[in-house]
Amino acid sequence: MLKIQNLHVSIHGKEILKGVNLEVKRGEVHAIMGPNGTGKSTLASVIAGKEIFDVTEGTITYKDKNIFDLSIEDRAREGIFIGFQYPVEIPGVSITNFMRTALNEIRTYRGLEPLGAAQFLRLMEEKKKIVELHSKLSERSVNEGFSGGEKKKNEIFQMAVLEPELAILDETDSGLDIDALRVVANGVNQLRSPENATVVITHYQRLLDYIVPDVVHILFDGKIVKSGPKELAMELEEKGYDWIKSEYEQSKLSGK
Amino acid sequence: MERFNQTIEELYQEMIQTGSQQIPCRELRDQGMALFREKGIPHGKMEKWRHKAIDTLLVKPDQPFRPYRIQTEPSPYQPIDQVFKCEIKNIGTISYHLLNGWYVHQNKPLDVWENGVIVGSINAAYQQFPELVKKHFNQLDPEKQDGLIALNQALFTDGVFIYVPDNVVVETPIQIVSLVDTLQKLMIQHHHLVIVGKNSQLSLVHCNDSVHEENSFINNILEINLEANAQLHYYKMENKDAQSILVNNTFVNQAADSRFTSNMITFNCGYVRNSLEVHLNEEGADANLYGLYLVDRKQYIDNQVNIVHHVPHCTSNQIYKGIADDEAGANFSGHIYVAKDAQQTAAYQINRNIALTDEAKITTRPFLEIYADDVKCSHGATIGQLDENAMFYLRTRGICLRNARMLLMFAFANEIANLVLIEKLRERLNDMIKRRLSGELTICDQCMMNCADKENLIYDIDTTRLRS
């Protein structure tokens, strides 16, 4: 479904991703872990289409399409959803209007009838339950004055409404207390299906207790340096990132 | 300009010789004319006109001069709906009309309600209720005014008079619709007067619309007097032809504990200048001045706000927002004056602008002049573009560039429309903002209030008419 090959990305001339390879198949959940500043969020942003980054080398294909041929909105319409680490506040735009506009544009793109107001409100009610979102919240402006937890819940809520095929959740666990973490993780799990894939970006193992991954990747210095089963996350938690660091330095020295 | 001034002299002669239905006040015209001869039309070297000169709009240097005309008598009566289609009743107002400078009525120049409210032609009111009108009519200091005020005094035709006696709450909003329907190059000078008595309340919707018009020049004066504890909500709507020049000079005097709220909304115009001067004359007076302007093509909107805190314990709040597209221009000048003894004043001002193109030109000038030392005053002015991060976020959810822009612009404008307290008017405004931003609402819609049906009021983006 998603295939990233030898991806090199830089910003203002500084190389951040230095040859990332990753393949995600339908039905899979992948976790990408790694310390701060290794390029995890850059990877999510490049997939989303943020224009500030320069892709200098490599390819990303999604459903056999070159992702760089798709506009930001077309990536979403093709079924990609990015849950942001720092969701943007948009004063004056209500979540209801926002989501209705988004969903109907996506539906139109896919040749489906746009939803009427009543149908859409029914859908909203249904989806709110998934993330235990308060009714009042959906009448408010997008993320404006939301707490950290509310913003993240709102991201998962949007994901529930838009029903993506590929969800990339960037640091969805950061800033969450344990109850909010459980709610968010439950939301993600409810949306899992054999048709969909999820990529969870995190630097704590904690989230992976709730969202159990099929594969864990460790991103370090702009590359995926290690991949393995879910136990890799446990090992990482135990040994810390220094373990990866020293292993990586050694492999570099040995000229591998 | 000489040719223009010559025209004014001729029109003045015409007005003093005809004008059977006008205020019997030759003296006022003479004073106005003398003052106009002295001051003339404001020009671009004057501080308040620096950003956009009106003289070169009235007399275009690169075009042959065509003199303005004045309609010196009212048109023969015809029901207004034959001229102008408008679903005014649907916003639940009682409406009164002016056409080409004259109050429209069928042998009933004054409408006296059971509760004592009087609405009608200022000329008729001046004759029938002289003691009521004279006290407040034309209470402007000639020394402080510019040539346009003088011009109005010299050449005014008619205007609306509204009087609300003490202790009357007018439940139904009153609406004034000023129409221009002519193929002549018309000059129109209205002089309106609104008096709201002690403890009384009124909502007033004032629309300036065009039907057919050719280069009209409208130069209005509106005087508002709020007595102790009176409340007035004043909504000013402007949807004019691209060729028109519209100047509104509004003067408000507020007594103790009175409350004035204005909302100046400009959707389409050629050139509009809203000059609003509010005097807080007694303690406890409160003024809330809001404005929204959405201009494109070569339109120009100028809001001049002047609020004067004469005494202690008064409050004022200004929020003006606008969007300029294409080569349009906008200016906001907000002057807060706090007199030496006006302690415990609270005065706030915000002006936010979005320039959508490199060619759009916006100026904003906050000006605080404070002589008291125990006050709370603040101002904020911004000119910017749409938030790039918000645009990106919206697009990652599948919303196209133009609709993302639309959502953000709508949200920006919506803040002001939501301050309108007449629910039906607010709904219409929101709908009109949506249509205006999507390029659908043009002057062809005949009337400000001629809006979509209720079913369509829920926000639904039309992608067909947007420019990306």
Side-chain angles (χ1 to χ4, degrees), chain B residues 401-413:
Chain B
L401 187 66
R402 44 196 191 175
N403 278 349
R405 279 166 62 115
M406 219 358 225
L407 271 172
L408 294 181
M409 289 193 291
F410 183 74
F412 178 84

Side-chain angles (χ1 to χ4, degrees), chain A residues 214-234:
Chain A
D214 298 302
V215 192
V216 175
H217 308 275
I218 296 167
L219 188 68
F220 187 78
D221 193 27
K223 280 181 194 168
I224 287 179
V225 294
K226 211 175 180 70
S227 300
K230 63 175 188 282
E231 288 75 20
L232 180 61
M234 312 288 269

Side-chain angles (χ1 to χ4, degrees), chain B residues 152-170:
Chain B
N152 182 294
Q153 286 166 354
L155 298 179
F156 75 89
T157 46
D158 203 348
V160 171
F161 172 70
I162 299 176
Y163 171 72
V164 181
D166 293 350
N167 307 310
V168 172
V169 175
V170 181

Side-chain angles (χ1 to χ4, degrees), chain B residues 235-251:
Chain B
Y235 303 105
K236 183 80 182 74
M237 314 287 160
E238 284 146 3
N239 195 31
K240 294 290 290 179
D241 195 279
Q243 302 301 319
S244 66
I245 301 169
L246 171 62
V247 178
N248 290 302
N249 292 290
T250 305
F251 299 90

Side-chain angles (χ1 to χ4, degrees), chain B residues 135-234:
Chain B
K135 194 177 160 202
H136 296 293
F137 188 75
N138 203 46
Q139 298 301 305
L140 310 171
D141 180 353
E143 289 312 308
K144 287 185 183 165
Q145 308 305 337
D146 60 30
L148 290 176
I149 302 285
L151 184 65
N152 182 294
Q153 286 166 354
L155 298 179
F156 75 89
T157 46
D158 203 348
V160 171
F161 172 70
I162 299 176
Y163 171 72
V164 181
D166 293 350
N167 307 310
V168 172
V169 175
V170 181
E171 302 282 353
T172 313
I174 291 176
Q175 183 172 17
I176 305 173
V177 182
S178 300
L179 288 169
V180 183
D181 181 17
T182 176
L183 295 173
Q184 284 193 316
K185 187 176 177 182
L186 215 56
M187 180 185 286
I188 294 170
Q189 330 267 343
H190 289 132
H191 195 143
H192 311 293
L193 175 61
V194 174
I195 302 165
V196 185
K198 283 177 190 143
N199 309 316
S200 292
Q201 294 178 19
L202 174 69
S203 286
L204 178 62
V205 181
H206 187 182
C207 304
N208 271 98
D209 287 286
S210 315
V211 182
H212 300 101
E213 71 168 70
E214 175 132 330
N215 298 303
S216 67
F217 167 42
I218 302 169
N219 179 33
N220 291 327
I221 294 178
L222 164 62
E223 288 179 276
I224 294 173
N225 270 279
L226 301 187
E227 291 176 14
N229 201 33
Q231 282 190 33
L232 175 67
H233 286 272
Y234 177 64

Side-chain angles (χ1 to χ4, degrees), chain B residues 247-318:
Chain B
V247 178
N248 290 302
N249 292 290
T250 305
F251 299 90
V252 184
N253 276 292
Q254 291 188 241
D257 302 314
S258 63
R259 179 173 236 189
F260 175 68
T261 306
S262 62
N263 208 327
M264 306 275 182
I265 295 182
T266 309
F267 283 140
N268 279 298
C269 62
Y271 171 91
V272 170
R273 181 179 171 103
N274 291 317
S275 167
L276 174 60
E277 191 174 309
V278 180
H279 293 271
L280 304 172
N281 295 323
E282 289 175 14
E283 293 196 13
D286 175 40
N288 296 286
L289 316 175
Y290 309 128
L292 173 67
Y293 37 97
L294 307 175
V295 285
D296 62 8
R297 288 163 285 167
K298 289 183 186 251
Q299 300 172 354
Y300 194 90
I301 170 74
D302 186 356
N303 277 292
Q304 299 270 337
V305 181
N306 195 348
I307 183 136
V308 187
H309 285 257
H310 292 283
V311 295
H313 300 288
C314 290
T315 48
S316 68
N317 187 23
Q318 302 168 42

